[in-house]
């Protein structure tokens, strides 16, 4: 029994853990995973001088152990690097990469560079003692899991870093041996090489040189083939780092990007198609930071490198057309969003409840019956005055649905009409639709919100005030209430009538659109229930089970305008 050794219990992720001092743990020989009474496993590690003032608990996680304290389980990377005023590389890239990978990132700045997409116009080193002060501030206070290094512009700064890391050991050290910027400007001169070799590399868990850096560290060795990269990785490994990733991005005549990872036992050739883009500034920093982030989360090195490489490739691919700066090497977008924002047709307006005014909901069977494509149906509805479109394609194959959705989205964006997808949150994400509509037995709105993010529109079908309240709590933007009248479009649908609609409207904190059996003949009666949050009508058959969608939409539009309600 360990009852005499534990001081208290620690709650992490709703589980209780025993908390032991390093002294107790070591006295008991608890230097590895163990199980005490009915509490879950804990690993306790004896720490260096600063950490031993507190208690360091380490949660068992697939055999991998990372430090943590009782206040937070956030993985933490400290980047020690230079600032890039253009924000494509350096500290700024590291912060964005870590944020994108969901890891906290603190920063020690070693140099300021005046830099843009053209090149480096100036650089000013931070004094060594101030680098030391920054390191101490972070490492003496925060539980850093992984230190990642970038631009280390002087021998003194490298030595300061190594000294501080011996004083404040961390779980892992990722060294990106930055020497020359992508524009060809020197960021750390040759004088630094021997200190790298003798002091920093032996402490590293991984180093990530590109061909030029690997060659510089190996006294100018020529690196032109994948075999050369393997030889370089082996020679660099002899200098002491646990892993070496030689990046072959500059390898001539290769349609693939080939990197070689060597851990002293095995070589891994990591190949991926080369992404043709000018926006590659900061890829090295971002890759190293992403590796650090994955290691901080507890991944083994091979997985960390694979995930990091995939992340950077995806970001490059998403960003291949963005235009930032006039120089030859632009930055890329770590958060994978700039691409869609940069498109002229991106929906720029937030959700406007008045968009619910004339809500056209497509139906694949009706379109088939009338021999029209979904795209033609959507075009006609917009031409007739529809103010929002929902694709409700119950029978479509996913691949076809996605293609149609993309085509419809282009039309909707041209006309400033929001496009929502019924039921299929996956399709909405894949085509970057403006939102989704979900029913009571579809994906819960709160889950859809998590997947779609804060900006997308989410509608929920509600027949009762309780459901309307839940939709509000779940973060929906509007509710659809019906069937107001009997309908053949949706099987076994309960009709709530005008009274049911009114009851839900009165209770709802969200704007409401009425649905079910609504058309030219009864739309006015629906709008005349006169509750302020009833904003419009959603219609399927009265628009799409007709010969001319545009004419029917136009007629309904006129009726709604005539009712003069809900249009503001
Ligand atoms: C605007 C609007 N309101 C209600 C519905 C119905 O959604 P749901 O209850 O999920 O039923 P299906 O449409 O999926 O059969 C809707 N689609 N749109
Ligand atoms: C999808 C749906 N949800 C409640 S009623 C309904 C069908 C509406 O179709 P129609 O407008 O043809 O009655
Ligand atoms: Mg549904």
């Amino acid at each position: 029994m360990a009852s005499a050794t534990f001081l208290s219990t620690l709650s992490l992720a709703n589980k209780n853990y025993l908390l032991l001092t390093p002294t107790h743990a070591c006295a008991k020989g608890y230097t590895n995973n163990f199980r005490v009474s009915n509490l879950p496993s804990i690993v306790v590690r004896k720490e260096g001088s600063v950490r031993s003032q507190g208690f360091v608990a380490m949660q068992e996680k697939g055999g991998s152990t990372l430090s943590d304290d009782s206040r937070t389980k956030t993985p933490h990377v400290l980047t020690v690097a230079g600032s890039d005023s253009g924000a494509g590389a350096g500290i700024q890239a590291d912060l964005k990469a870590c944020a994108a990978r969901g890891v906290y990132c603190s920063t020690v700045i070693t140099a300021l560079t005046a830099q843009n997409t053209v090149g480096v116009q100036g650089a000013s080193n931070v004094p060594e003692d101030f680098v030391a002060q920054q390191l101490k501030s972070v490492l003496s206070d925060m539980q850093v899991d992984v230190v990642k290094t970038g631009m280390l512009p002087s021998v003194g700064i490298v030595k300061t870093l190594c000294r501080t890391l011996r004083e404040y050991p961390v779980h892992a050290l990722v060294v990106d041996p930055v020497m020359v910027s992508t524009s060809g400007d020197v960021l750390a001169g040759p004088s630094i090489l021997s200190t790298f070799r003798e002091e920093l590399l032996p402490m590293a868990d991984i180093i990530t040189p590109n061909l030029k850096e690997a060659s510089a560290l190996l006294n100018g060795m020529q690196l032109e083939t994948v075999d050369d990269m393997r030889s370089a990785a082996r020679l660099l490994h002899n200098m002491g780092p646990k892993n070496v990733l030689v990046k072959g991005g500059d390898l001539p005549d290769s349609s693939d990007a080939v990197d070689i990872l060597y851990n002293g036992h095995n070589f891994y050739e990591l190949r991926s198609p080369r992404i043709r883009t000018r926006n590659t500034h900061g890829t090295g920093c971002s890759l190293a930071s992403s590796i650090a982030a994955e290691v901080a989360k507890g991944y083994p090195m091979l997985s960390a490198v694979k995930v990091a490489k995939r992340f950077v490739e995806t970001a490059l691919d998403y960003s291949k057309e963005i235009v930032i700066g006039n120089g030859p090497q632009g930055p890329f977008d770590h958060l994978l969003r700039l691409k869609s924002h940069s498109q002229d047709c991106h929906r720029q307006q937030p959700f406007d409840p008045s968009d619910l005014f004339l809500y056209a909901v497509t139906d694949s069977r009706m379109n088939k019956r009338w021999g029209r494509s979904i795209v033609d149906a959507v075009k006609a509805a917009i031409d007739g005055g529809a103010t929002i479109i929902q694709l409700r394609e119950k029978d479509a194959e996913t691949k076809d649905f996605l293609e149609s959705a993309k085509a419809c989205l282009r039309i909707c964006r041209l006309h400033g009409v929001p496009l929502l997808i019924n039921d299929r949150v996956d399709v909405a994400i894949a085509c970057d639709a403006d939102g989704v509509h979900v029913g009571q037995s579809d994906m819960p709105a709160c889950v859809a919100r998590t997947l779609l993010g804060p900006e997308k529109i989410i509608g929920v079908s509600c027949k009762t005030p309780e459901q309307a309240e839940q939709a509000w709590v779940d973060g929906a933007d509007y509710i659809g209430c019906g069937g107001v009248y009997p309908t053949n479009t949706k099987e076994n649908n309960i009709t709530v009538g005008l009274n049911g609609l009114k009851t839900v409207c009165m209770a709802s904190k969200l704007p409401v659109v009425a649905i079910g059996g609504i058309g030219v003949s009864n739309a006015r009666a629906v709008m005349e229930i006169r509750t302020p949050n009833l904003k419009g009508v959603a219609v399927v058959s009265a628009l799409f089970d007709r010969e001319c969608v545009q004419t029917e939409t136009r007629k309904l539009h006129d009726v709604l305008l005539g009712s003069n309600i809900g249009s503001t």
Side-chain angles (χ1 to χ4, degrees), residues 366 392 463 482-483 486-490 493 515-518 538-542:
M366 292 175 196
R392 183 175 177 270
K463 290 184 191 296
T487 177
N488 292 324
T489 306
K490 185 171 168 59
N493 190 53
I515 188 166
I518 301 172
V539 180
V540 188
S541 54

Side-chain angles (χ1 to χ4, degrees), residues 123-145:
S124 171
N125 294 356
V126 172
E128 241 168 82
D129 57 351
F130 199 70
V131 172
Q133 204 175 340
Q134 294 176 73
L135 282 166
K136 188 164 181 186
S137 292
V138 176
L139 289 166
S140 66
D141 177 44
M142 299 172 166
Q143 293 290 330
V144 172
D145 296 304

Side-chain angles (χ1 to χ4, degrees), residues 394 422-423 439 442:
K394 293 279 182 185
N422 186 50
D423 297 343
D442 297 321

Side-chain angles (χ1 to χ4, degrees), residues 407-419:
C408 291
L409 197 61
R410 282 193 284 276
I411 295 157
C412 286
R413 297 255 159 104
L414 275 177
H415 292 85
V417 172
L419 179 86

